[in-house]
Amino acid sequence: MARAGGFGQALAAVIGLVVLAAGLSVGVMWAGDDTAPATTSPVAGTTTTTAPTPAPGMRERPQAGWAVASDSGRGVMVDFTSVMVGAARFRVVRLRARSTLLRWHVGLGDPLAWSHAPADAGPSIDWPSEGRAGVVAVFNGGFKQKDDSGGAMSDGLTLIAPVAGRMTIALDAAGHWAMGVWGARGFPPAGFHPISLRQNLGPLVVHGAPAPAVSGPVTAWGSPLGNVPDEPRTGLGIDRQGNLLYAATMDHVAPIQLARALVRAGAVSAMELDINPFWPILGVTLTPRHHADGYYPIGLAASQHSAQVYDTGWIRDFFVALAEPSSWSCHWASPGLHPGAVPQAQRLRLVGQCATRSSASTPTSTTSLP
């Protein structure tokens, strides 16, 4: 948990979306305007998503109030907006579940067992593997291990034992996500086999509303600098369509304000990520990055670090969002774990009828910030 300021403006430009169609039969948490909504289990904090087969012509459509950062033949990949809670402005970035995938990386020194993580989940973006798909967004993870925030697992290797009752973002071998309370009935969802996970405290948002604990002692949500309760805060949520929402502000806010920002952005479940001015870091691209030689035009103004720290190595854990191929006839996949859950690097490969990398994402530009 550590230092920085307010929000900035992002760039301008507009795009038309090109759509390809066909059915893709993977265990993805489907989302989008044309799909069934996510279903929330009776257990507090647990969100699961059904997986309807996309019909021909379906795509991820732009939505009023959200600016498109990147798109491909599947439609929108990443879009973003601003949410005001009182005088605080939050940047919210949305990863569409049908057109992106997610990976989790350890930091250089945290968690303590970081050096044991497979190479693809190390302290920097794995360009030989993740660069093939194309990086579309990066953002910070949770508290330091010493702050007792919960467990962590990387490519099947348990770095910190998961803690029952803690809110968890879990990822399977193909980079699809699920969020819920560890140990609660219905989480992980049936048929979802996590190989990576990150916990951070208890639920921030439950069933589309701030969790009751958010109104309790602020110290339960991290140790603010100088014991001043309002701090820059970041969080992660899932909406009713299964899309992932990252929310951040460099304004000084209470946990309830972060929860309200995520709810206003559409989250039905959410968890807090890191806080204090030093740790919030966000980078969003306009086209997928395939090498460590570009930059992130959309970020978090007044952040103390450029998102390019993730290109070469960073001291804390972080998430990398990648582009699925434009074509619905193939997708990025990983080897999965050997029998007995032996940890192994989850290097990406194309599965399906995409012959070359040129059939991967072919995005365009971005619209202006709402």
Side-chain angles (χ1 to χ4, degrees):
M1 301 175 286
R3 200 146 271 273
F7 261 126
Q9 307 277 350
L11 335 170
V14 165
I15 322 25
L17 293 173
V18 182
V19 181
L20 274 163
L24 174 64
S25 107
V26 211
V28 66
M29 315 291 274
W30 292 112
D33 296 332
D34 297 313
T35 57
T39 57
T40 305
S41 84
V43 182
T46 303
T47 297
T48 59
T49 309
T50 57
T53 301
M58 288 179 60
R59 61 190 173 113
E60 288 296 320
R61 296 172 178 163
Q63 180 181 340
W66 292 78
V68 176
S70 60
D71 62 5
S72 71
R74 295 189 182 207
V76 178
M77 292 191 291
V78 181
D79 50 8
F80 61 103
T81 191
S82 291
V83 173
M84 297 296 298
V85 179
R89 180 183 296 274
F90 289 81
R91 166 66 51 83
V92 182
V93 172
R94 179 168 59 181
L95 307 179
R96 301 293 184 97
R98 296 171 64 229
S99 53
T100 64
L101 59 149
L102 192 68
R103 315 264 285 187
W104 179 71
H105 285 250
V106 300
L108 186 63
D110 195 85
L112 298 180
W114 69 273
S115 61
H116 298 289
D120 67 305
S124 62
I125 295 170
D126 182 22
W127 291 106
S129 175
E130 294 170 335
R132 291 187 64 212
V135 174
V136 292
V138 288
F139 53 89
N140 61 275
F143 290 0
K144 292 180 180 179
Q145 180 177 348
K146 70 178 183 62
D147 293 315
D148 193 29
S149 58
M153 181 171 69
S154 171
D155 288 355
L157 176 68
T158 299
L159 302 174
I160 310 169
V163 179
R166 300 292 175 88
M167 201 62 163
T168 307
I169 174 73
L171 306 174
D172 68 10
H176 305 140
W177 52 74
M179 181 179 288
V181 175
W182 192 258
R185 179 171 55 86
F187 186 83
F192 186 90
H193 305 292
I195 64 162
S196 296
L197 64 84
R198 180 61 156 103
Q199 296 184 310
N200 206 60
L201 308 179
L204 186 75
V205 171
V206 175
H207 302 320
V214 181
S215 300
V218 71
T219 52
W221 299 95
S223 301
L225 295 181
N227 294 318
V228 177
D230 292 350
E231 284 288 352
R233 295 180 186 271
T234 63
L236 194 62
I238 291 182
D239 68 16
R240 292 189 182 280
Q241 286 71 42
N243 301 313
L244 201 65
L245 301 165
Y246 169 86
T249 182
M250 297 309 299
D251 294 337
H252 288 62
V253 299
I256 187 63
Q257 290 171 279
L258 174 61
R260 286 171 177 163
L262 282 157
V263 168
R264 290 178 188 179
V268 292
S269 285
M271 59 193 289
E272 186 178 59
L273 294 180
D274 218 343
I275 69 170
N276 290 333
F278 198 71
W279 302 121
I281 306 175
L282 168 69
V284 178
T285 69
L286 306 185
T287 60
R289 289 185 57 197
H290 301 288
H291 309 282
D293 56 3
Y295 68 107
Y296 299 92
I298 301 168
L300 189 57
S303 172
Q304 291 197 358
H305 308 284
S306 163
Q308 288 176 294
V309 297
Y310 299 137
D311 292 356
T312 54
W314 183 234
I315 58 177
R316 299 290 299 282
D317 72 285
F318 62 97
F319 293 90
V320 179
L322 306 173
E324 287 282 19
S326 282
S327 173
W328 292 106
S329 64
C330 64
H331 62 97
W332 290 107
S334 302
L337 299 175
H338 293 310
V342 177
Q344 64 173 330
Q346 295 297 304
R347 306 282 184 179
L348 294 172
R349 66 180 186 273
L350 281 173
V351 175
Q353 298 178 12
C354 289
T356 66
R357 196 183 75 177
S358 63
S359 61
S361 307
T362 52
T364 48
S365 192
T366 182
T367 58
S368 58
L369 179 68

